[in-house]
Amino acid sequence: MRGGFRVHVVSDVHGNSEGLARAGDGADAVVCLGDLILFLDYADHSRGIFPELFGVENADRIVELRTARRFEEARELGRSLWAGVDRDAAIESAVRKQYAELFAAFPTPTYATYGNVDIPRLWPEYAAPGTTVLDGERVEIGGRVFGFVGGGLQTPMRTPFEIGAEEYAAKIEALGHVDVLCSHIPPDVPELCYDTVARRFETGSAALLEAIRATRPRYALFGHVHQPLARRMRIGATECVNVGHFASSGTPWVLEW
């Protein structure tokens, strides 16, 4: 018989409801660090909300432009495609369909926070009693204190849940000292922020890095960077871990004590 406590951690689910339904197998609890929605799969351009609305050829083109950091051209293509379409209604309808499936797949108990592509205002409609949503809040899991910081910082990508650096830092400050610091985005460390496939630096948080150095949690867990240059790194007393791209792996990261 297994002793101790076991938590399975996932991030960047991006539509993988089948894997999510199995994520709690053998665990006492599941932690989800956000990005449930699949808007556009950069590995398979036929999957996600964007190709469903506009086709694979347009998905190919917008990925090409974004990867080349030609963001203004990507935005212009987007504007032309969305012309005459009720953008908000179309996206919300597609997101609601995904959320209904994904939240139904969450194991019990799950502790979850938002990613930068999520739409927080919709979560209360889908989160069942076994799913606890936290953002700028703490919770005790198996005798350890976990703090959660959701969302991402503002970028040229303009994803749905990006906030200003001051607002993000205030959420971190509200946590105080925790044993496990959970966020969607990584601390602002080049090796943790660089995506080796997209060949670009994703936006990390300087405030997270400061909090890690000041409060010295045992772990800092995050996702967001799908193919990071470094998956883990020790900063002082803290083990910083990118828990992996769950959409492709279907395998949670395991924390035991």
Side-chain angles (χ1 to χ4, degrees), residues 134-139 145-150 168-183 208 211 215:
L134 303 116
D135 185 19
E137 298 165 285
R138 302 151 51 103
V139 68
V145 178
F146 285 63
F148 290 79
V149 185
Y168 194 86
K171 293 196 291 187
I172 298 170
E173 187 175 1
L175 299 178
H177 289 258
V178 298
D179 297 307
V180 185
L181 178 57
C182 299
S183 59
L208 273 174
T215 66

Side-chain angles (χ1 to χ4, degrees), residues 49-249:
I49 294 171
F50 188 93
E52 287 176 11
L53 291 172
F54 302 118
V56 177
E57 287 187 7
N58 284 315
D60 290 340
R61 180 59 177 156
I62 206 159
V63 169
E64 178 187 351
L65 292 171
R66 287 178 174 177
T67 302
R69 304 187 67 80
R70 293 157 62 184
F71 295 118
E72 187 51 49
E73 290 177 68
R75 282 194 286 269
E76 183 56 40
L77 174 60
R79 282 191 289 266
S80 68
L81 293 172
W82 284 108
V85 178
D86 187 336
R87 179 184 181 123
D88 292 342
I91 289 177
E92 182 164 325
S93 175
V95 168
R96 284 182 175 278
K97 181 180 177 182
Q98 290 190 19
Y99 275 166
E101 184 175 335
L102 289 158
F103 276 90
F106 269 136
T108 298
T110 290
Y111 302 87
T113 196
Y114 317 113
N116 60 291
V117 303
D118 287 310
I119 302 178
R121 66 179 175 81
L122 298 181
W123 281 37
E125 297 184 40
Y126 296 96
T131 299
T132 303
V133 180
L134 303 116
D135 185 19
E137 298 165 285
R138 302 151 51 103
V139 68
E140 186 176 303
I141 306 174
R144 288 189 175 179
V145 178
F146 285 63
F148 290 79
V149 185
L153 295 172
Q154 292 169 341
T155 72
M157 303 289 278
R158 299 181 183 178
T159 52
F161 191 43
E162 296 181 353
I163 62 175
E166 289 186 8
E167 182 181 351
Y168 194 86
K171 293 196 291 187
I172 298 170
E173 187 175 1
L175 299 178
H177 289 258
V178 298
D179 297 307
V180 185
L181 178 57
C182 299
S183 59
H184 177 67
I185 63 174
D188 188 16
V189 177
E191 294 89 340
L192 299 176
C193 293
Y194 187 73
D195 190 308
T196 59
V197 174
R199 300 191 303 278
R200 65 169 180 262
F201 287 97
E202 302 290 353
T203 301
S205 167
L208 273 174
L209 181 58
E210 290 171 10
I212 289 166
R213 288 172 171 161
T215 66
R216 299 165 61 86
R218 296 187 189 195
Y219 292 92
L221 307 180
F222 49 88
H224 187 57
V225 184
H226 293 178
Q227 299 92 13
L229 182 62
R231 294 198 174 274
R232 59 195 303 159
M233 173 186 295
R234 181 165 287 276
I235 299 176
T238 304
E239 189 72 17
C240 300
V241 182
N242 183 319
V243 301
H245 183 221
F246 188 77
S248 60
S249 73

Side-chain angles (χ1 to χ4, degrees), residues 16-33:
N16 189 353
S17 57
E18 184 178 338
L20 194 58
R22 300 190 302 268
D25 292 353
D28 296 291
V30 169
V31 165
C32 179
L33 304 181

